Short mmCIF file of all heavy atoms in Angstrom, two decimals:
data_model
loop_
_atom_site.label_atom_id
_atom_site.label_comp_id
_atom_site.label_asym_id
_atom_site.label_seq_id
_atom_site.Cartn_x
_atom_site.Cartn_y
_atom_site.Cartn_z
N GLY A 19 -54.45 -45.64 -40.05
CA GLY A 19 -53.28 -44.77 -39.72
C GLY A 19 -52.85 -43.95 -40.92
O GLY A 19 -52.44 -42.85 -40.78
N PHE A 21 -54.66 -42.94 -43.54
CA PHE A 21 -55.57 -41.75 -43.93
C PHE A 21 -55.65 -40.64 -42.86
O PHE A 21 -56.18 -39.56 -43.16
CB PHE A 21 -56.99 -42.31 -44.17
CG PHE A 21 -57.11 -43.18 -45.45
CD1 PHE A 21 -57.34 -44.50 -45.40
CD2 PHE A 21 -56.86 -42.51 -46.67
CE1 PHE A 21 -57.40 -45.23 -46.55
CE2 PHE A 21 -56.94 -43.24 -47.85
CZ PHE A 21 -57.19 -44.61 -47.84
N PRO A 54 -53.19 -72.47 -21.79
CA PRO A 54 -52.55 -73.07 -22.96
C PRO A 54 -52.03 -74.39 -22.70
O PRO A 54 -51.58 -74.81 -21.58
CB PRO A 54 -51.35 -72.02 -23.22
CG PRO A 54 -51.03 -71.42 -21.82
CD PRO A 54 -52.41 -71.39 -21.19
N SER A 66 -45.29 -82.45 -25.52
CA SER A 66 -45.75 -81.31 -26.17
C SER A 66 -46.96 -81.39 -27.01
O SER A 66 -47.24 -82.56 -27.48
CB SER A 66 -44.54 -80.60 -27.02
OG SER A 66 -44.42 -81.19 -28.27
N TYR A 239 -37.82 -39.64 -13.35
CA TYR A 239 -38.93 -40.14 -12.69
C TYR A 239 -39.92 -40.97 -13.66
O TYR A 239 -40.29 -42.01 -13.35
CB TYR A 239 -39.77 -39.07 -12.05
CG TYR A 239 -41.08 -39.45 -11.50
CD1 TYR A 239 -41.07 -40.07 -10.10
CD2 TYR A 239 -42.28 -39.35 -12.19
CE1 TYR A 239 -42.24 -40.51 -9.66
CE2 TYR A 239 -43.36 -39.81 -11.63
CZ TYR A 239 -43.51 -40.38 -10.36
OH TYR A 239 -44.62 -40.81 -9.84
N ARG A 270 -64.35 -67.50 -4.34
CA ARG A 270 -63.51 -68.60 -3.83
C ARG A 270 -62.33 -68.77 -4.82
O ARG A 270 -61.38 -69.31 -4.48
CB ARG A 270 -64.25 -69.84 -3.73
CG ARG A 270 -64.71 -70.49 -5.01
CD ARG A 270 -65.74 -71.67 -4.83
NE ARG A 270 -65.31 -72.40 -3.74
CZ ARG A 270 -66.34 -73.24 -3.16
NH1 ARG A 270 -67.59 -73.18 -3.50
NH2 ARG A 270 -65.89 -74.17 -2.22
N TRP A 331 -42.74 -68.60 -6.72
CA TRP A 331 -41.57 -67.82 -6.43
C TRP A 331 -41.64 -66.44 -7.27
O TRP A 331 -41.26 -65.36 -6.80
CB TRP A 331 -40.24 -68.49 -6.80
CG TRP A 331 -40.01 -69.56 -5.72
CD1 TRP A 331 -40.28 -70.83 -5.88
CD2 TRP A 331 -39.48 -69.33 -4.51
NE1 TRP A 331 -40.00 -71.49 -4.72
CE2 TRP A 331 -39.41 -70.55 -3.86
CE3 TRP A 331 -39.02 -68.20 -3.79
CZ2 TRP A 331 -38.97 -70.69 -2.63
CZ3 TRP A 331 -38.49 -68.30 -2.51
CH2 TRP A 331 -38.46 -69.69 -1.87
N GLU A 398 -47.21 -76.94 18.97
CA GLU A 398 -48.42 -77.39 19.62
C GLU A 398 -49.19 -76.30 20.23
O GLU A 398 -50.35 -76.25 20.17
CB GLU A 398 -48.18 -78.52 20.56
CG GLU A 398 -47.71 -79.86 20.01
CD GLU A 398 -47.54 -80.91 21.02
OE1 GLU A 398 -47.91 -80.64 22.23
OE2 GLU A 398 -47.01 -82.01 20.68
N TYR A 442 -38.04 -49.75 8.12
CA TYR A 442 -38.00 -48.90 7.12
C TYR A 442 -37.44 -47.48 7.45
O TYR A 442 -36.65 -46.86 6.77
CB TYR A 442 -39.45 -48.68 6.50
CG TYR A 442 -40.07 -49.74 5.61
CD1 TYR A 442 -41.41 -49.86 5.43
CD2 TYR A 442 -39.19 -50.72 5.09
CE1 TYR A 442 -41.90 -50.87 4.77
CE2 TYR A 442 -39.71 -51.75 4.36
CZ TYR A 442 -41.12 -51.73 4.15
OH TYR A 442 -41.69 -52.81 3.41
N GLU A 443 -37.78 -46.95 8.55
CA GLU A 443 -37.33 -45.75 9.08
C GLU A 443 -35.89 -45.73 9.22
O GLU A 443 -35.10 -44.82 8.82
CB GLU A 443 -38.04 -45.27 10.39
CG GLU A 443 -39.46 -44.81 10.27
CD GLU A 443 -39.54 -43.55 9.49
OE1 GLU A 443 -38.97 -42.58 9.92
OE2 GLU A 443 -40.13 -43.60 8.53
N ASP A 494 -25.86 -12.25 -3.78
CA ASP A 494 -27.10 -12.94 -4.09
C ASP A 494 -27.34 -14.16 -3.25
O ASP A 494 -27.68 -15.28 -3.64
CB ASP A 494 -27.20 -13.44 -5.58
CG ASP A 494 -27.25 -12.21 -6.51
OD1 ASP A 494 -27.87 -11.28 -6.14
OD2 ASP A 494 -26.54 -12.25 -7.53
N GLY A 529 -33.81 -13.17 9.66
CA GLY A 529 -32.81 -13.78 8.87
C GLY A 529 -31.51 -13.40 9.37
O GLY A 529 -30.42 -13.82 8.74
N VAL A 560 -12.01 -23.78 5.42
CA VAL A 560 -11.07 -23.86 6.37
C VAL A 560 -10.40 -22.45 6.42
O VAL A 560 -10.29 -21.89 7.42
CB VAL A 560 -10.10 -24.91 6.27
CG1 VAL A 560 -8.97 -24.87 7.41
CG2 VAL A 560 -10.77 -26.31 6.40
N GLN A 565 -10.25 -16.68 9.42
CA GLN A 565 -10.23 -15.31 9.47
C GLN A 565 -11.35 -14.77 10.40
O GLN A 565 -11.53 -13.55 10.68
CB GLN A 565 -10.61 -14.77 7.93
CG GLN A 565 -9.87 -15.35 6.84
CD GLN A 565 -8.39 -15.25 7.07
OE1 GLN A 565 -7.76 -14.27 7.48
NE2 GLN A 565 -7.62 -16.44 6.82
N ILE A 603 -4.24 -13.10 26.15
CA ILE A 603 -4.85 -13.48 27.31
C ILE A 603 -4.77 -12.51 28.51
O ILE A 603 -5.72 -12.21 29.27
CB ILE A 603 -4.47 -14.98 27.72
CG1 ILE A 603 -4.95 -15.89 26.64
CG2 ILE A 603 -4.94 -15.26 29.14
CD1 ILE A 603 -4.32 -17.30 26.97
N ASP A 683 -29.87 1.74 20.72
CA ASP A 683 -28.99 2.84 21.28
C ASP A 683 -27.52 2.43 21.16
O ASP A 683 -26.68 3.34 20.76
CB ASP A 683 -29.37 3.11 22.72
CG ASP A 683 -30.73 3.70 22.83
OD1 ASP A 683 -31.29 4.27 21.74
OD2 ASP A 683 -31.28 3.71 23.84
N ILE A 700 -32.79 -7.77 2.79
CA ILE A 700 -32.17 -6.59 3.23
C ILE A 700 -32.84 -5.28 2.65
O ILE A 700 -32.71 -5.06 1.56
CB ILE A 700 -30.57 -6.64 3.01
CG1 ILE A 700 -30.00 -7.88 3.74
CG2 ILE A 700 -29.93 -5.36 3.45
CD1 ILE A 700 -28.52 -8.03 3.39
N ALA A 741 -40.36 19.42 5.91
CA ALA A 741 -40.51 20.87 6.40
C ALA A 741 -39.21 21.46 6.80
O ALA A 741 -38.81 22.58 6.52
CB ALA A 741 -41.62 20.96 7.38
#
Side-chain angles (χ1 to χ4, degrees):
F21 288 116
S66 81
Y239 173 82
R270 73 195 310 159
W331 288 99
E398 292 184 5
Y442 285 159
E443 284 297 299
D494 294 322
V560 174
Q565 316 305 315
I603 288 173
D683 291 343
I700 296 178

